[in-house]
Amino acid sequence: MDKEQVTLTIDGKTVTVPKGMVAVDAAKTVDIDIPVFCYHEKLGPFGCCRMCLVEVEKMPKLATACTLNVSQDMVIKTDTPKVKKGRNGVLEFTLLNHPLDCPVCDKGGECPLQDNTFEHGPDLTRMEYNRAHHDKATPLSPVITIDRERCIACQRCTRYSDIIEKDTALVMLNRGFHNEVGTFNNEPYDTRFSGNVVDICPVGALTNTQYRFKSRNWDLKNAESLCAHCACNCNIVIGTRQNRFMRVQAKSSENSVSNDFVDDGWICDKGRFGYQFLESKNRILDPRENGIGDSRAGVIETAKKVAASFKKIAEEHGPDSVGFLGSPFGTNEELYLYQKLFRLGLGTNNIDHKLYADSPGLPVDHYDMEDVESADLVLTIASDPTEELPILDLRLKKAVSSLGTKLAVLSDQQTLMDCFACHSLRYNVGSDGTVLQSLTDGLGKKGFKKNKGFETETGIESDAFKELIASLKKSTKVCVIYNPEKLTGDSVHILKSFLTALDKNSEGTCGAIPAAPATNALGAMDMGVLPDYYPGGIPVSNAAKIRELWGDSAPVTEGASASELIQKAESGELKALWIYRCNPLVDFPGGAKLEQALKKLDLLVVHDMLETETTRIAKVVLPSNGPGYDEGTTTNIGGRVQFRKRGIVTQNPADWKILGAMLKELDIESDYRDSFEVTSEIASTVPGYSEVNRKNLRKFGHQREKVSNPKVPESKGSSEKAPDKNALRLRVSNYLFAHDKILDASSSLAHHFQTSSIYIHEDDAKSLGLSSGAEVTIKSDWGEIKAEVQVNNRCNPGGALVPYISDEQGVASLLNPDGGPTWVTFKN
Amino acid sequence: MKLFLTHNIDTKDLHSIKVYKKQGGYGSLEKAFAKKPDEIVQMVKDSGLRGRGGAGFPTGLKWSFLAKDVFPRYLACNADESEPGTCKDRVLLQKNPHLLIEGMILCAYACQIETAYIYLRGEFYDLAEIMDKALEEAYEAGYLGANILGSGMNLEMYTHLGAGAYICGEESALLNSLEGMRGEPRLKPPFPAVEGLYGKPTVVNNVETLCAVVPIMNEGPEAYAAVGTEKSKGTKLVSVSGHVKKPGNYEIPMGLPTRDLIYDLAGGIRDDNELKAWIPGGSSVPMLPASLVDTPYDYEAIAAAGSMLGSGALIVMDHTTNVVEEALRLAGFYMHESCGKCTPCREGTRWLHQILSDIHLKKGKESNIALLEDICDNMSFKCFCPLGDAAVAPVISSIQNFREDYEELLNLAKAGTAS
Amino acid sequence: MFTFSESSEKQIEKIMKKYPVKRSAILPLLALAQRQDGYITPEAMVEIGKRIDCSPAYVQSVCSFYTMFYTKPVGKYVIQFCINISCHLLGCDDLLEYTANKLNIKVGETTADNKITLLKEECLAECSAAPVMRLNDTYHTNLTREKIDQILDSLD
Ligand SMILES: Cc1cc2nc3c(=O)[nH]c(=O)nc-3n(C[C@H](O)[C@H](O)[C@H](O)COP(=O)(O)O)c2cc1C
Ligand code: SF4
Ligand code: FES
């Protein structure tokens, strides 16, 4: 990268900036504001609106500062009479056919057109003709309203669609004065990231339908917070009015400074339009005992009482008669305190938060999301960024199309990233263990040899596989992105050996991003909500270290995992289970049997935000406020810890407060006055988090250090045969807009909801006599669901892909409860 | 008069390679291949040839600006000919297609280019067919394709048709259009010579410019430079249209008095009317009054007279013309052809048209003239590309030189309201 | 559904070879589709998008920029009548009106029998033979009323 600096003068001020920077940005560094419309730093120079005219010494014409690359000794003036006249003229043209309906425009108060006119524009109009007319406010999509009269044709939105989202779904139609923003054949502009155009439109042409006419912008209170929908943890601004939710915007250069470590100033539509749950009628507001809600019973009092009951059960039946099922959706503080409560307060390691195999830490560097841009090869494994971690999808597209990064996709299903990849390898569902082992071996001395057995088992051609290995070896910076949740059995352990091998055998550097999609999946691991690891990746076997950090009473035997907890409930060994922000009745395998098991418990407590199937059978239900209301930190896939601010104030106590009270109840010192005090405690006890403090969290968050990296467990390996020649191996995939408790029927995103489908390969379709559109019942040993067949080769023959599209679909009921493979057959 | 481009243009079947070769066609190639590419560039520089597409930029100099050592490079021949009044390139395309091919081969050789496109405006479908036929013949004869005449030079040449957009004559819009995009102009810099077609160094030259390279090669730069004036060398093909007795395309030595062009070559004004106004170089340049008709027809003299030689399209108006009406016509043209990318051009062209329409319909006001002038000032040099400047030229020049025509209409408007 | 005819397919093969980047073929492909169907349907845009790896919206965006592409049906014959300066100086307005009256339509319309569409056009680059019109692919120059009569009467 060219880092050469140049020195120039802008309005008499001396400025030193990197050569080639555009004058608008250079001026910004010395607080000189050059007005713009079409320029947006993430979209690059375009120069169409002509708002940014400036005078440059030795140039006869005025220049557009947004396209002007500064050079040594340049002299720029932004407030000469010539510039003023130029700007005034441009604004007159811009306003010529603008409807001037500011009083009823949603952009009012935060409108660059208003602001620029106020400062630089004409005070009178010389326009004596009827202004051009268009249909007012028509839907561009179910969530975006377009008012074409207001459009100033800056092309920000269409360039966004082209340059950032890369699908040219929103385009400029027609020519000249008849230019208009539109879609193909007037179809809705309905993409995963469409809402960003609302933020960047410099006028009120593109507005958020949800927010229309709900508030004037100056009446809003804006909180810089984090999105809680996935593990990217994008920076958002929550706008509220009189403590009521109004809208979500990306935190971008338009309203603040974007966090380029995380989201580059963009958010996905789920993050923008998927926040109606904050005011869902299913929110749990009062504690409830034996099905009876009581608004007078204090949350804290109830919680203390239940904590005491747990203590009593633990004393009576032994500490391992109680257990905790946490969730990757809690904040670090909440999860940290819960594990502390169970470990120190109740003496058990019976705590877990997930169903897939994984262990904390990486044998290589933990890359931040930004590293994707400097990597020359990104390898995604079993990851589907578009559906799971949407902002990562944008980041990958940016890296591949403008920064020279190469992408390799290794997956058992087709993804939307494939068309950006130079290696796109699809393995048979369930064969990831073999694939990863061969990759590991291939990097080592043994190398990889063309191999029929490998090809039949994995469905990958040897030559293509070889090429991938060659690319991995010769790249100077490899970033591996994997979704542990979608690896089968314990092949995540093989993946970690692969990382070690990569580190050793590739010519450059490498690192990885564990990309489990849940909001704080990484934080939950780091905080030790695991039966076998303490916070910071300290294994329970390391008794000495644990005693040192946690005291002598800390339990050092391995606890029960999530699935074991369910088994123990079934067998009666487990008497009391505490479930935090998790809905096993829908999300865990087991179906009706699972419900029976939970009903056997003496005490089932659910602490959650929204009513779920599980809260319905709980003995005690406690309200958790959740994102938007409660504050705390979360750790994103890049290991970046950020502070999630509240947008709405509630009377109900925050979870950390409830937990503090419960800890006290169990005689553990706890005097937290705010969530930051918990954060400080985390900094002092959790390896990797020592630098996480208030100061470091400001602005862009802080990438935590590596957590301990214990020895990677050996993979037990797995190879199974289909029980039935007609059986296909099930793979559940993710869908961004799944219809669940968060995106409920009243959601603005309901138009994205899909019907239950199963994707199979045409070979299998032929042998099974199925064709697209057929309604079938899918059966496994554990359950059955209905779905429509789609023959489209999204996975290899032998596999069956079912996207998780709703809670109601019940796909988890099909799954093998012990984590082994699931085979499905069909019934018409 | 020495003619370089059209001396044999009326030869029967000149468009066929057989006849063309009989006339000495493709003879320049052997000569060129005996020289180094840089020598050819130097010859073109020495000839003083300037671009005939409108801007008059020295051709040899343009070729020497190509980014060093970056390949592949492209050649795009600008056959978009859309400037109102201009119809000179079509004569060459139609009657002497091989001359253009030969010129393009020379340019490609000089600039080490292996792929060339001829961008024709969409309406020139018939000319594209002629060109395609000629290209086929040239391939067959070994003037195109691999290892041309054993020189080791390779060149592929194709036609590409536009689809109705004046702006695609602007070189960067042309490149966008050729790349399959909307014909909106690109930011400059980078100039096409550095980052042009598909991001690679590209020469964009007008049909006439490229044709002129052949006589320069054949007869030597000195012979070419011997014709014309000090700074405007060679001959110019001029399209004469409007109120003349013999409209047509005339090749003239640069510097010929415009009077001779109008009164001798074009036969004088129709019905022996009086000359009122003339536009020297296509709709985009200021119009001039009859009093300046002795101006020599060359770049410098016309510039000194307050206009530009432009594409070499002389539009003649006699005393029956109300210039406002023609300015309105051209305003309509620019409104229709503005690509809409930049604000002043998109909005300004329409506004100018609205006001001129009013004046023309005798609904104008005194203050309209000052308003027109101010709008023109706000557009001038503030648009994304020169189309915006072009759009103001007829308006401003008609106000400057023919104010009485405006006043006449404004007076009628006043009288109308009074009665 | 839109499909390119066999002869179009042959041309497409040639067209695709001209350019190092598929997208460059967009104008030729649109023109082909129009030659085939008389105008360009949304289905044709989808098909063209597939050929050049572009979204249908992109194809529409490009298509709508250029005035020679029609997205609604036009007559068997399309007259593009130049109304720019050189033609105007020689009376094109009168001739255009004459033509419209003769066809009994307004400028921009198509005759009831779907035979002839009459369009106003900007400069067609045959200015020294003004007035000029283009009828399908053929230029007609030095127009007079008589000439227009002849031309129109000769159309089948
Ligand atoms: C609006 C606009 C329209 C133009 N139209 C044409 C055209 O139709 N034909 C042409 O040769 N040049 C046209 N030009 C000039 C080209 O941009 C470019 O300067 C020319 O093709 C260069 O070739 P030359 O150096 O041989 O003249 C146009 C320029 C502008 C700004
Ligand atoms: S809709 Fe908004 S962002 Fe898009 S071009 Fe118009 S003004 Fe610009
Ligand atoms: S901001 Fe510079 S031209 Fe639009």
Side-chain angles (χ1 to χ4, degrees):
Chain A
M1 281 260 158
D2 186 8
K3 282 266 158 68
E4 199 190 322
Q5 300 279 315
V6 291
T7 301
L8 63 149
T9 334
I10 306 180
D11 289 346
K13 291 192 194 175
T14 306
V15 189
T16 303
V17 292
K19 186 178 171 179
M21 188 182 234
V22 296
V24 169
D25 292 338
K28 223 176 260 169
T29 63
V30 284
D31 292 325
I32 294 173
D33 197 26
I34 298 177
V36 301
F37 290 124
C38 71
Y39 181 66
H40 185 286
E41 56 174 347
K42 304 287 177 191
L43 300 174
F46 192 62
C48 79
C49 75
R50 318 306 284 174
M51 186 64 249
C52 60
L53 297 171
V54 293
E55 212 175 318
V56 185
E57 222 163 66
K58 294 200 194 100
M59 287 195 193
K61 303 192 233 176
L62 293 177
T64 43
C66 74
T67 63
L68 178 72
N69 297 118
V70 296
S71 57
Q72 183 66 31
D73 300 330
M74 205 177 232
V75 178
I76 300 175
K77 293 188 185 129
T78 77
D79 61 354
T80 64
K82 203 167 149 193
V83 170
K84 283 184 182 155
K85 165 98 167 61
R87 282 181 186 165
N88 190 285
V90 167
L91 272 165
E92 182 176 40
F93 289 131
T94 310
L95 292 168
L96 208 57
N97 285 287
H98 191 79
L100 303 178
D101 56 351
C102 308
V104 290
C105 178
D106 266 357
K107 196 78 176 184
E110 57 183 21
C111 174
L113 182 55
Q114 278 185 335
D115 298 346
N116 287 344
T117 305
F118 185 75
E119 210 162 321
H120 311 285
D123 28 11
L124 283 174
T125 176
R126 299 187 287 180
M127 172 72 170
E128 296 182 337
Y129 305 93
N130 286 337
R131 283 162 200 275
H133 277 298
H134 276 289
D135 289 343
K136 291 301 281 181
T138 51
L140 185 65
S141 80
V143 287
I144 300 174
T145 302
I146 186 163
D147 185 324
R148 293 196 169 88
E149 280 184 0
R150 294 183 187 150
C151 172
I152 60 167
C154 69
Q155 302 201 34
R156 275 184 171 196
C157 55
T158 54
R159 279 183 294 146
Y160 164 83
S161 175
D162 178 19
I163 301 170
I164 307 295
E165 200 168 346
K166 298 242 171 289
D167 62 0
T168 51
L170 195 65
V171 293
M172 221 60 197
L173 296 171
N174 309 330
R175 179 170 90 200
F177 191 78
H178 303 287
N179 259 358
E180 66 176 38
V181 168
T183 56
F184 175 65
N185 224 7
N186 269 323
E187 286 168 6
Y189 171 56
D190 214 2
T191 68
R192 284 180 183 76
F193 305 92
S194 66
N196 289 314
V197 300
V198 170
D199 284 350
I200 60 176
C201 179
V203 296
L206 296 167
T207 50
N208 177 337
T209 307
Q210 225 176 61
Y211 173 64
R212 259 173 77 76
F213 299 135
K214 279 179 77 181
S215 167
R216 299 311 321 227
N217 296 320
W218 49 86
D219 285 335
L220 286 186
K221 239 179 85 186
N222 289 315
E224 290 185 359
S225 186
L226 302 179
C227 176
H229 280 307
C230 86
C232 292
N233 299 178
C234 293
N235 291 227
I236 58 172
V237 179
I238 303 178
T240 57
R241 179 168 171 251
Q242 293 169 344
N243 208 30
R244 298 226 22 213
F245 171 74
M246 292 286 128
R247 68 166 181 195
V248 168
Q249 289 179 301
K251 182 166 153 245
S252 63
S253 53
E254 304 295 290
N255 52 28
S256 179
V257 184
S258 62
N259 189 345
D260 295 352
F261 295 104
V262 178
D263 50 50
D264 233 5
W266 312 118
I267 56 175
C268 75
D269 279 8
K270 193 169 178 183
R272 183 183 306 269
F273 302 113
Y275 272 82
Q276 278 143 330
F277 73 87
L278 290 179
E279 303 201 322
S280 163
K281 57 182 186 323
N282 284 326
R283 280 192 68 212
I284 302 168
L285 297 171
D286 300 317
R288 187 161 81 220
E289 267 180 89
N290 296 316
I292 301 161
D294 186 348
S295 56
R296 281 158 313 159
V299 180
I300 301 248
E301 273 55 53
T302 316
K304 275 173 27 188
K305 210 166 80 191
V306 206
S309 311
F310 263 67
K311 176 96 184 168
K312 207 159 142 236
I313 295 172
E315 277 165 3
E316 227 164 84
H317 301 278
D320 287 341
S321 64
V322 299
F324 174 67
L325 209 49
S327 113
F329 296 103
T331 62
N332 289 329
E333 290 71 17
E334 291 155 1
L335 295 170
Y336 171 86
L337 291 177
Y338 259 124
Q339 65 85 31
K340 186 173 172 185
L341 180 79
F342 276 81
R343 286 195 164 119
L344 303 191
L346 299 166
T348 180
N349 278 323
N350 276 353
I351 54 183
D352 204 355
H353 75 281
K354 62 177 178 52
L355 288 169
Y356 54 91
D358 200 0
S359 53
L362 288 173
V364 291
D365 278 349
H366 191 135
Y367 277 164
D368 209 344
M369 280 163 90
E370 214 199 19
D371 282 293
V372 164
E373 294 185 3
S374 53
D376 61 346
L377 180 70
V378 173
L379 168 64
T380 64
I381 302 174
S383 173
D384 185 0
T386 315
E387 305 293 0
E388 295 165 352
L389 297 157
I391 278 303
L392 183 59
D393 158 294
L394 287 192
R395 183 71 72 134
L396 284 168
K397 286 184 204 162
K398 174 184 176 190
V400 171
S401 24
S402 0
L403 302 166
T405 301
K406 290 213 167 69
L407 175 67
V409 174
L410 188 55
S411 178
D412 48 2
Q413 59 162 341
Q414 198 178 67
T415 70
L416 290 171
M417 274 348 287
D418 292 13
C419 60
F420 295 91
C422 57
H423 303 276
S424 171
L425 307 187
R426 197 159 318 141
Y427 56 81
N428 295 339
V429 175
S431 70
D432 40 338
T434 309
V435 173
L436 290 166
Q437 192 57 54
S438 309
L439 212 47
T440 315
D441 298 345
L443 285 170
K445 277 202 200 77
K446 275 194 258 170
F448 176 81
K449 285 190 197 66
K450 200 175 167 80
N451 167 352
K452 261 261 129 34
F454 169 81
E455 292 189 357
T456 355
E457 194 191 339
T458 65
I460 295 178
E461 278 184 33
S462 296
D463 289 340
F465 197 64
K466 256 193 191 151
E467 280 167 29
L468 172 64
I469 293 173
S471 281
L472 283 169
K473 278 187 154 175
K474 64 166 197 273
S475 296
T476 50
K477 179 171 178 181
V478 184
C479 171
V480 178
I481 297 175
Y482 66 96
N483 179 359
E485 200 185 298
K486 297 301 177 194
L487 292 170
T488 26
D490 59 2
S491 49
V492 69
H493 301 321
I494 314 178
L495 186 139
K496 289 191 177 172
S497 333
F498 154 67
L499 291 176
T500 310
L502 182 64
D503 200 22
K504 220 177 344 177
N505 296 304
S506 79
E507 281 167 24
T509 51
C510 71
I513 297 180
T519 313
N520 196 23
L522 195 65
M525 298 270 277
D526 287 353
M527 293 306 122
V529 185
L530 294 166
D532 43 358
Y533 290 91
Y534 269 69
I538 301 169
V540 284
S541 54
N542 193 349
K545 182 85 189 159
I546 289 170
R547 299 248 141 85
E548 180 200 323
L549 281 167
W550 296 92
D552 289 342
S553 63
V556 289
T557 49
E558 194 169 315
S561 69
S563 51
E564 284 162 355
L565 284 173
I566 306 293
Q567 285 162 22
K568 289 187 180 202
E570 158 93 72
S571 68
E573 266 176 82
L574 192 75
K575 304 287 178 206
L577 180 63
W578 188 296
I579 297 179
Y580 178 58
R581 298 254 284 269
C582 159
N583 183 15
L585 248 43
V586 162
D587 297 332
F588 281 35
K593 260 176 88 184
L594 172 78
E595 184 167 346
Q596 284 157 19
L598 293 184
K599 280 183 172 158
K600 279 193 187 160
L601 291 163
D602 291 347
L603 180 53
L604 175 64
V605 178
V606 178
H607 183 192
D608 209 336
M609 294 156 46
L610 301 170
E611 297 291 354
T612 65
E613 289 74 1
T614 314
T615 57
R616 243 171 268 144
I617 62 164
K619 190 164 262 165
V620 180
V621 176
L622 290 168
S624 166
N625 299 320
Y629 296 92
D630 281 0
E631 307 198 315
T633 64
T634 54
T635 308
N636 83 354
I637 52 171
R640 185 158 291 268
V641 186
Q642 301 177 90
F643 179 64
R644 185 163 79 200
K645 209 171 165 180
R646 87 160 69 82
I648 311 181
V649 183
T650 167
Q651 297 308 311
N652 269 1
D655 287 355
W656 61 262
K657 225 180 225 168
I658 302 175
L659 275 151
M662 293 198 289
L663 282 162
K664 214 173 202 162
E665 179 72 20
L666 302 190
D667 302 322
I668 296 164
E669 201 186 324
S670 80
D671 267 320
Y672 311 114
R673 274 164 307 174
D674 59 24
S675 74
F676 279 116
E677 294 200 345
V678 188
T679 319
S680 303
E681 186 176 319
I682 291 173
S684 63
T685 45
V686 181
Y689 281 71
S690 59
E691 299 290 315
V692 174
N693 55 45
R694 213 174 181 133
K695 188 170 139 269
N696 281 343
L697 286 172
R698 249 179 242 148
K699 256 196 176 158
F700 306 130
H702 174 78
Q703 198 192 18
R704 63 137 167 78
E705 324 279 292
K706 271 173 84 158
V707 301
S708 322
N709 169 34
K711 206 172 138 272
V712 175
E714 285 279 307
S715 160
K716 295 185 206 93
S718 75
S719 86
E720 308 83 4
K721 275 229 138 57
D724 170 339
K725 73 173 180 17
N726 285 330
L728 300 181
R729 187 143 174 190
L730 178 70
R731 156 71 142 96
V732 178
S733 62
N734 289 333
Y735 172 57
L736 182 62
F737 301 110
H739 179 185
D740 53 17
K741 304 292 175 296
I742 296 288
L743 295 190
D744 64 12
S746 64
S747 165
S748 306
L749 295 167
H751 59 283
H752 281 295
F753 292 164
Q754 291 186 347
T755 48
S756 182
S757 297
I758 179 160
Y759 299 98
I760 58 175
H761 194 273
E762 57 193 351
D763 294 357
D764 294 325
K766 210 180 282 163
S767 63
L768 295 170
L770 292 170
S771 53
S772 282
E775 298 280 343
V776 290
T777 301
I778 316 169
K779 270 176 54 97
S780 78
D781 283 353
W782 300 277
E784 56 180 59
I785 68 166
K786 286 200 173 5
E788 188 184 309
V789 172
Q790 300 212 21
V791 182
N792 66 0
N793 304 359
R794 262 176 67 172
C795 58
N796 287 346
L801 209 74
V802 177
Y804 182 98
I805 56 100
S806 73
D807 283 355
E808 202 187 348
Q809 174 195 30
V811 67
S813 69
L814 293 174
L815 294 171
N816 185 339
D818 68 19
T822 305
W823 299 90
V824 292
T825 53
F826 300 87
K827 227 169 44 182
N828 273 72
Chain B
M1 256 189 297
K2 174 81 191 165
L3 301 184
F4 289 108
L5 299 173
T6 58
H7 58 281
N8 61 351
I9 196 97
D10 289 320
T11 311
K12 187 166 178 290
D13 291 334
L14 182 61
H15 59 84
S16 82
I17 197 164
K18 236 167 80 199
V19 177
Y20 182 69
K21 278 182 72 176
K22 225 180 252 159
Q23 297 272 328
Y26 290 111
S28 71
L29 300 188
E30 296 280 3
K31 286 183 214 154
F33 295 158
K35 298 190 186 333
K36 288 204 199 77
D38 282 350
E39 293 176 63
I40 315 258
V41 176
Q42 190 56 44
M43 284 174 77
V44 175
K45 278 188 188 165
D46 293 344
S47 75
L49 175 65
R50 291 166 65 172
R52 303 300 194 220
F57 192 83
T59 306
L61 197 58
K62 186 189 267 189
W63 294 4
S64 67
F65 284 162
L66 287 172
K68 295 270 163 308
D69 302 324
V70 186
F71 298 96
R73 294 168 171 181
Y74 293 97
L75 167 60
C77 167
N78 191 340
D80 192 60
E81 191 152 68
S82 307
E83 174 83 3
T86 317
C87 51
K88 53 163 187 108
D89 294 339
R90 75 169 299 137
V91 180
L92 295 168
L93 293 163
Q94 185 173 11
K95 297 194 173 166
N96 204 357
H98 286 287
L99 180 65
L100 175 60
I101 298 174
E102 188 174 348
M104 288 176 72
I105 299 171
L106 293 173
C107 169
Y109 179 72
C111 300
Q112 293 168 273
I113 288 166
E114 300 203 334
T115 313
Y117 296 95
I118 305 169
Y119 186 103
L120 298 124
R121 61 179 294 174
E123 291 85 350
F124 283 179
Y125 185 80
D126 50 345
L127 302 187
E129 284 187 325
I130 295 175
M131 251 356 276
D132 278 336
K133 179 84 196 1
L135 286 173
E136 214 171 284
E137 289 176 338
Y139 269 104
E140 238 163 65
Y143 296 127
L144 290 174
N147 193 14
I148 297 169
L149 305 181
S151 65
M153 171 191 182
N154 308 319
L155 178 62
E156 301 294 330
M157 194 179 289
Y158 309 103
T159 56
H160 179 96
L161 273 170
Y166 164 67
I167 185 63
C168 291
E170 192 284 328
E171 55 185 9
S172 66
L174 181 147
L175 297 177
N176 271 351
S177 181
L178 191 47
E179 283 190 29
M181 302 186 237
R182 292 159 66 81
E184 291 172 358
R186 297 180 179 174
L187 269 177
K188 288 187 216 168
F191 290 92
V194 177
E195 263 179 55
L197 192 60
Y198 309 116
K200 298 291 183 226
T202 303
V203 175
V204 184
N205 270 133
N206 173 257
V207 172
E208 187 188 343
T209 315
L210 288 163
C211 288
V213 179
V214 179
I216 291 171
M217 198 62 221
N218 278 329
E219 302 177 31
E222 304 77 19
Y224 190 82
V227 177
T229 68
E230 172 70 33
K231 285 189 177 154
S232 302
K233 305 287 191 197
T235 60
K236 176 79 190 87
L237 197 49
V238 186
S239 307
V240 186
S241 68
H243 296 153
V244 288
K245 287 185 183 153
K246 289 194 301 174
N249 287 296
Y250 300 100
E251 186 178 0
I252 58 161
M254 285 282 190
L256 185 78
T258 309
R259 177 184 293 279
D260 295 2
L261 184 48
I262 296 178
Y263 288 93
D264 293 346
L265 292 169
I269 310 295
R270 64 165 182 187
D271 305 334
D272 291 325
N273 281 350
E274 241 173 78
L275 173 68
K276 176 169 185 177
W278 56 289
I279 304 179
S283 64
S284 302
V285 309
M287 52 177 85
L288 297 173
S291 58
L292 292 172
V293 74
D294 288 315
T295 309
Y297 199 85
D298 64 68
Y299 293 107
E300 290 69 33
I302 291 184
S307 186
M308 285 180 287
L309 186 132
S311 57
L314 179 62
I315 305 167
V316 178
M317 296 170 242
D318 69 13
H319 74 272
T320 65
T321 317
N322 183 315
V323 164
V324 178
E325 199 171 330
E326 303 316 316
L328 170 63
R329 233 356 100 117
L330 294 179
F333 170 73
Y334 288 106
M335 174 177 73
H336 187 260
E337 298 301 336
S338 167
C339 77
K341 178 169 175 166
C342 80
T343 311
C345 176
R346 182 186 64 244
E347 301 288 332
T349 51
R350 185 167 179 269
W351 201 9
L352 290 177
H353 186 259
Q354 286 172 321
I355 297 168
L356 283 168
S357 297
D358 261 12
I359 298 177
H360 178 240
L361 293 171
K362 308 183 187 68
K363 294 196 302 196
K365 292 188 290 197
E366 287 288 348
S367 60
N368 283 163
I369 296 189
L371 181 56
L372 284 173
E373 284 174 324
D374 195 48
I375 296 171
C376 288
D377 182 48
N378 284 342
M379 289 172 71
S380 291
F381 305 118
K382 294 177 195 76
C383 296
F384 189 88
C385 88
L387 189 144
D389 303 328
V392 308
V395 182
I396 276 295
S397 61
S398 60
I399 295 177
Q400 269 166 8
N401 297 321
F402 304 95
R403 204 179 175 100
E404 61 282 1
D405 285 16
Y406 283 85
E407 276 159 3
E408 184 189 321
L409 289 165
L410 292 173
N411 285 336
L412 285 171
K414 230 194 267 169
T417 5
S419 66
Chain C
M1 258 297 280
F2 173 88
T3 44
F4 279 113
S5 69
E6 221 168 280
S7 72
S8 297
E9 289 292 0
K10 282 214 188 83
Q11 296 198 48
I12 292 174
E13 219 173 285
K14 273 205 208 147
I15 291 168
M16 288 310 212
K17 283 199 193 118
K18 288 188 179 183
Y19 313 101
V21 172
K22 281 187 192 172
R23 194 176 54 188
S24 279
I26 191 166
L27 296 189
L29 293 190
L30 284 165
L32 257 187
Q34 176 155 304
R35 268 177 197 276
Q36 213 177 284
D37 289 3
Y39 71 108
I40 298 162
T41 58
E43 290 77 17
M45 295 188 203
V46 172
E47 178 61 28
I48 291 169
K50 281 186 197 146
R51 303 289 177 114
I52 58 168
D53 298 336
C54 290
S55 73
Y58 181 84
V59 178
Q60 194 179 352
S61 165
V62 172
C63 177
S64 63
F65 185 86
Y66 297 92
T67 51
M68 286 178 73
F69 294 131
Y70 310 128
T71 47
K72 298 213 177 67
V74 289
K76 179 174 170 199
Y77 298 100
V78 178
I79 296 177
Q80 294 171 286
F81 215 107
C82 178
I83 50 112
N84 212 297
I85 183 162
S86 302
C87 289
H88 179 245
L89 288 169
L90 296 180
C92 69
D93 284 8
D94 171 61
L95 293 174
L96 177 60
E97 193 183 295
Y98 176 76
T99 312
N101 286 342
K102 190 171 159 96
L103 296 174
N104 200 18
I105 51 174
K106 290 206 204 72
V107 176
E109 290 179 348
T110 302
T111 53
D113 56 0
N114 291 327
K115 191 167 133 189
I116 303 175
T117 302
L118 179 62
L119 302 174
K120 260 200 306 212
E121 215 40 63
E122 295 301 345
C123 180
L124 288 168
E126 187 65 293
C127 318
S128 51
V132 182
M133 73 180 204
R134 191 172 174 264
L135 185 136
N136 291 357
D137 297 329
T138 313
Y139 275 74
H140 294 274
T141 54
N142 297 311
L143 293 176
T144 56
R145 291 192 176 200
E146 295 69 44
K147 242 183 164 171
I148 288 172
D149 287 342
Q150 263 176 30
I151 296 164
L152 293 184
D153 295 346
S154 72
L155 299 180
D156 53 8

